[in-house]
Amino acid sequence: MKKAFLVCLLTASASFAVVANDTFSPYVDDKGNIAFPKDFRTNMVHLGSWFVPEGGASGFHGVYTEKEAVEAFRKNGKFPDGATLVKELRAHNTGNYTTGTGVSHETADLKQWFVMVKDGEGRFSDNGSWGDGWGWALFKTDDLNKNASADYKTDCLGCHLPAKANDWIYTEAYPILSE
């Protein structure tokens, strides 16, 4: 009886530790390192897409987040702590189709991914990838295990500056947030 109780207690403690660790984000370790969410296309909701016709960032930018993050945003107009945003950049081709001329579509060629994790508490102030309410990461196609950005202020913030008043996020391309 005592042995069974001890096994039960240890199992419950181990389960609690896992749950306690995962309450913030399953993609962030205790030092604030952001992992690439490999399952995002099947486990997250598509928020919307951007199309950039020219330049180094040209192509389609598909943005994803957790279903729970969408539900929370609909309730209070903000992403909740731990919400993950993934922006996938894909190359594009343009051609003439029955739907029109100059029609662009995504290709299988992946360029890179941007990942942001909402952090309203400033948990990782010693980590250069965190600040202004978010964790910021860039993943290149050659190494999904390494955040290519070491300093969000120089590597990420410049592109988000026009959206500063909106918690650094360009939500106008995500109609799902207000449906």
Side-chain angles (χ1 to χ4, degrees), residues 131-158:
D132 287 297
W134 291 91
W136 310 73
L138 168 63
F139 294 94
K140 304 281 189 171
T141 57
D142 62 343
D143 191 355
L144 294 179
N145 295 312
K146 181 183 177 216
N147 178 359
S149 167
D151 182 354
Y152 87 97
K153 289 180 182 176
T154 58
D155 299 336
C156 308
L157 212 52

Side-chain angles (χ1 to χ4, degrees), residues 74-97:
R74 286 177 176 176
K75 286 181 185 171
N76 64 27
K78 295 179 181 181
F79 286 103
D81 243 22
T84 307
L85 300 178
V86 179
K87 186 196 303 190
E88 177 176 72
L89 279 65
R90 286 186 176 267
H92 75 284
N93 281 332
T94 303
N96 299 327
Y97 293 86

